[in-house]
Amino acid sequence: MGLTKTEIFTQEQNQLAQLLKAMAHPARIAILQQIISANACICGDLVDELGLAQATISQHLKELKNAGIIQGTIEGVSVCYCINPDTWKLLESQIGDFLKLYKGSANCC
Amino acid sequence: MGLTKTEIFTQEQNQLAQLLKAMAHPARIAILQQIISANACICGDLVDELGLAQATISQHLKELKNAGIIQGTIEGVSVCYCINPDTWKLLESQIGDFLKLYKGSANCC
DNA sequence: TTATTGTATCGCAATATTACGATAAGCAGA
DNA sequence: TCTGCTTATCGTAATATTGCGATACAATAA
């Protein structure tokens, strides 16, 4: 059926899954790394940096924006992107909490 | 074309994307939480806990196993699953490093 | 006005994911 | 052996993702 049954999971589980999914693509990881390493808003020179077509980059940017991870501001002709600090903080706490659940205990298997 | 161009990204980017993708589904997050909260190997009572069909759960477990996040041991009739500590550590360091890149600096947008 | 430039969107093709019923495979007990 | 139990796999349907050419759109420059 290809459609996730979100209604049977908690809000937290769905939210975390959505954030992870938004980052679960090498191109989107590369885009985020570029944005961060520029340490500022980056205007769309991403097409030259990565080896993907402009339409493809634009689509990945859209997905990151939909997830709230980045935000774009129109700067004259071009658009500048930067990390959304609130979402990034949320991401850190949600993933952090989740990863901390496992303490390496339990001698099994 | 529906096929990710892995060859233009670094090994790290592809690996992190793959790990994130394996967890980027609420059902798989729920499964991992169950396994961890049991603080031991969990035999397949997951079908009763989550509201998904047995075939679906088995498929999600397979994906988590393929990603190396969990491991399964045959325990007589049933199979016991637990976290793979090595992969979990890798996960923590990879995601941790990635999230730490952004320091909330840059007054932008 | 007419380029030009930077992005977004459309539409398509190829492939992947999600979910599940049906069924198979493996093991333990009667 | 036969039966029941647990898990894996197959096949299928519905939907999502990925990538890109073509094109539209908005803002500036000539």
Side-chain angles (χ1 to χ4, degrees):
Chain A
M1 311 191 162
L3 148 138
T4 301
K5 283 189 158 180
T6 53
E7 70 274 10
I8 65 173
F9 303 105
T10 69
Q11 247 235 304
E12 282 81 26
Q13 289 168 337
N14 284 317
Q15 188 186 43
L16 179 55
Q18 210 182 341
L19 287 172
L20 290 175
K21 193 165 151 191
M23 299 198 304
H25 191 287
R28 295 199 286 273
I29 290 176
I31 288 172
L32 290 172
Q33 286 173 334
Q34 285 277 336
I35 291 179
I36 294 171
S37 76
N39 197 30
C41 289
I42 204 172
C43 298
D45 13 312
L46 292 162
V47 180
D48 301 318
E49 304 288 343
L50 315 180
L52 290 172
Q54 183 267 327
T56 309
I57 300 282
S58 184
Q59 204 171 260
H60 283 304
L61 286 168
K62 189 182 174 187
E63 279 181 67
L64 287 170
K65 219 177 348 180
N66 281 343
I69 299 178
I70 64 171
Q71 54 199 186
T73 319
I74 297 165
E75 190 86 17
V77 188
S78 50
V79 179
C80 287
Y81 293 99
C82 63
I83 302 294
N84 182 328
D86 294 334
T87 309
W88 200 266
K89 258 173 232 152
L90 183 71
L91 201 56
E92 281 180 317
S93 73
Q94 295 286 309
I95 294 183
D97 288 351
F98 178 71
L99 289 178
K100 258 180 280 178
L101 287 179
Y102 178 65
K103 300 191 175 49
S105 53
N107 41 341
C108 51
C109 303
Chain B
M1 308 190 167
L3 143 140
T4 301
K5 282 189 159 182
T6 52
E7 69 274 11
I8 66 172
F9 303 106
T10 68
Q11 247 236 302
E12 281 81 25
Q13 289 168 336
N14 284 315
Q15 187 187 42
L16 179 55
Q18 210 182 341
L19 286 172
L20 289 174
K21 194 165 151 192
M23 300 197 305
H25 191 286
R28 294 198 286 273
I29 290 176
I31 287 173
L32 290 173
Q33 287 173 334
Q34 285 278 336
I35 291 179
I36 294 172
S37 77
N39 198 29
C41 287
I42 203 173
C43 299
D45 12 312
L46 292 162
V47 181
D48 301 319
E49 304 289 343
L50 314 180
L52 290 172
Q54 182 267 327
T56 309
I57 301 282
S58 185
Q59 206 171 257
H60 282 305
L61 287 168
K62 190 182 173 186
E63 280 182 65
L64 287 170
K65 222 180 342 182
N66 282 343
I69 298 178
I70 62 171
Q71 53 198 186
T73 319
I74 297 164
E75 191 86 15
V77 187
S78 50
V79 179
C80 287
Y81 293 99
C82 63
I83 302 293
N84 181 331
D86 295 333
T87 309
W88 200 267
K89 257 175 235 153
L90 183 71
L91 202 55
E92 282 181 315
S93 72
Q94 295 285 310
I95 295 183
D97 288 351
F98 179 71
L99 289 178
K100 258 180 280 176
L101 286 179
Y102 178 65
K103 301 191 172 52
S105 53
N107 41 340
C108 51
C109 303

